[in-house]
Amino acid sequence: MKLSKSQRKLRIRRRVRKVCSGTAERPRLSVFRSNKEIYAQLIDDTEGKTLAAVSSRDKDLAKAKGTKSEVAALVGKAIAEKSKEAGIEKVAFDRGGNLYHGRVKALAEGAREAGLKF
C-alpha cells in the first residue's frame, strides 16, 4: 500500500535523524518548512538546547520581498551569521524529511555562501 505524503516525510525524517546528531562543537542545523514560512535552528542534541534560531517571520526578514526561495536563502545567511557570533563554523545539516531541492536547497546554499561548513 502506498504511503501518504506525511507518512513518507516522517519515514525520511527518522532515517535522517538516525545518522545526524548535533554536538556543542558541531550542532545540527535543523530546517522546518511550512507552506508559507521557513525556520532554521542550531541544536545541541547532547544538552538538548537550541543554540540559535532564525525564521522568515523575524522582523528584519519578514519585510524582505521576493520568492519563497529567495527568502529561504536570506534565512540561510542569517543563521550562518548567528552561528559565527556563537563561534560555530561547522554544522550537521538536517533537512527534516524534506527533499533537498527548492527552498531547503536555497537555505543550505545561502548558509554556505555566508561561510557555514557542512
Side-chain angles (χ1 to χ4, degrees):
M1 194 166 137
K2 191 174 179 182
L3 293 173
S4 71
K5 196 172 190 179
S6 60
Q7 289 172 326
R8 181 174 171 270
K9 185 175 179 177
L10 184 63
R11 182 181 282 185
I12 293 170
R13 177 180 290 143
R14 287 185 183 142
R15 186 172 59 228
V16 170
R17 286 288 291 125
K18 269 194 257 183
V19 294
C20 181
S21 180
T23 62
E25 306 85 47
R26 190 181 175 111
R28 177 169 54 99
L29 174 59
S30 177
V31 176
F32 174 74
R33 180 182 62 88
S34 71
N35 286 336
K36 292 177 87 175
E37 312 291 344
I38 192 157
Y39 305 83
Q41 54 183 338
L42 295 172
I43 303 169
D44 178 6
D45 289 315
T46 55
E47 294 283 325
K49 291 186 178 180
T50 300
L51 305 175
V54 176
S55 75
S56 56
R57 298 184 70 186
D58 290 350
K59 289 183 181 179
D60 52 340
L61 295 174
K63 298 173 187 171
K65 299 289 183 190
T67 63
K68 292 179 190 176
S69 294
E70 291 168 352
V71 173
L74 293 175
V75 170
K77 289 177 184 174
I79 194 72
E81 289 170 8
K82 276 198 173 184
S83 69
K84 287 203 173 182
E85 289 173 11
I88 299 165
E89 292 186 12
K90 290 186 176 184
V91 296
F93 189 69
D94 177 12
R95 55 193 172 94
N98 301 302
L99 298 178
Y100 187 79
H101 74 97
R103 289 191 279 159
V104 175
K105 185 177 179 181
L107 187 143
E109 288 175 352
R112 281 192 186 111
E113 284 176 15
L116 209 55
K117 292 185 170 90
F118 52 93

